[in-house]
Amino acid sequence: MAAQKINEAHEHIAKAEKCLKTSLTKWKPDYDSAASEYAKAAVCFKNAKQYEQAKDAYLKEAEYHTENKTAIEQAGMMMKEQKKMPEAIQYIEKACMMYMENGTPDTAAMALDRAGKLIEPLNLEKAVDLYQKAAGVFENEDRLRQAVELLGKASRLLVRLKRLDEAAVAVQKEKNMYKEIENFPMCFKKTTAQVLIHLHRGDYVAADKCVRESYSLPGYSGSEDCVAMETLLQGYDEQDEDQVYRVCNSPLLKYMDNDYAKLAISLRVPGGGGKKKKPAAAPEGGASGTPAAEEEDEYEGGLC
């Protein structure tokens, strides 16, 4: 089967090369037909798992059919099949630039998102960059719901990378977007994330400010999120390990996205020496099952 597909691919390449030739009766190369044949060859190579040759065929298609930007992205996917991720990302980013130039920014943003997912297991820093670029494209198009989702991915990875100063800025931007689209419950969650980030940065003042600013959000004052953060800040300020432990191990925080849940369960009060005083009773509001934040395989199954 593979051999047959490879033979078919070479037949298409031969036809493509013929389309590009000129003669006394054919003065101009037939670029469109050549591109079509290279596209067919690429699919045949791909089906035969000859990914390097498929990549070359896709690039030839792109060369002769300049309106088809997806061919370059497909070349990147062939690199992905060969586990050549840096090269894959380069081709996809190039395709994205062409999508932008061609007036299809949504396609560019979605391709950047796909690229981020591809590289994330190997290079978190590059994934952050790609997610932020994709978010920027959507933001420029006033598609804030799509933009904020991608910003959230970047924020969580910044926390995982322990780049907390940048994470604080990113989460604030998320919160502003959620406020603009009037998704106030998500603003509450982002306030909680901000408090955890700032306390890990050792900046109690910034954490307290985030809560105070959130009082202006409809429904925040007196909410479960608000009460939890007020209690946490009070315990942190008074160096009350038990109070901090109870809040950080409550279901509200334990079952956040993994990266934030890990910030919660690892938070220690200043001068506490990292000592945890586990209360005899289960955490308030008790929960059954194993929370994602306590899984042995760090970040396994986390929402990104």
Side-chain angles (χ1 to χ4, degrees), residues 241 266-269 271-277:
E241 289 185 350
S266 62
L267 184 64
R268 300 292 178 265
V269 299
K275 182 180 178 184
K276 287 195 294 185
K277 299 178 183 177

Side-chain angles (χ1 to χ4, degrees), residues 135-154:
V137 174
F138 276 132
E139 186 180 4
N140 288 339
E141 296 299 305
D142 290 325
R143 295 184 60 181
L144 297 188
R145 284 175 174 81
Q146 290 82 0
V148 76
E149 181 181 343
L150 288 159
L151 275 179
K153 292 182 180 183

Side-chain angles (χ1 to χ4, degrees), residues 196-297:
L196 291 171
I197 290 169
H198 285 309
L199 291 183
H200 270 274
R201 292 176 61 244
D203 193 341
Y204 172 87
V205 172
D208 185 63
K209 181 182 178 184
C210 290
V211 174
R212 293 183 182 280
E213 288 178 346
S214 295
Y215 288 145
S216 63
L217 297 171
Y220 184 71
S221 184
S223 68
E224 182 184 17
D225 300 84
C226 177
V227 171
M229 291 305 96
E230 289 173 339
T231 306
L232 175 60
L233 287 169
Q234 180 190 45
Y236 189 91
D237 189 41
E238 297 175 358
Q239 299 188 4
D240 186 334
E241 289 185 350
D242 287 344
Q243 186 164 316
V244 169
Y245 180 87
R246 282 195 300 273
V247 176
C248 288
N249 285 271
S250 66
L252 182 67
L253 273 66
K254 265 190 171 183
Y255 294 95
M256 294 178 73
D257 290 316
N258 261 5
D259 296 296
Y260 298 122
K262 287 178 181 294
L263 286 183
I265 63 173
S266 62
L267 184 64
R268 300 292 178 265
V269 299
K275 182 180 178 184
K276 287 195 294 185
K277 299 178 183 177
K278 188 170 183 177
E284 186 179 346
S288 60
T290 304
E294 289 186 333
E295 291 176 9
E296 185 175 345
D297 187 2

Side-chain angles (χ1 to χ4, degrees), residues 82-100:
Q82 298 178 78
K83 312 297 182 189
K84 297 179 179 179
M85 290 303 179
E87 294 92 335
I89 300 305
Q90 285 177 8
Y91 282 123
I92 296 172
E93 285 191 287
K94 182 178 179 180
C96 291
M97 291 296 295
M98 296 176 74
Y99 291 142
M100 293 290 290

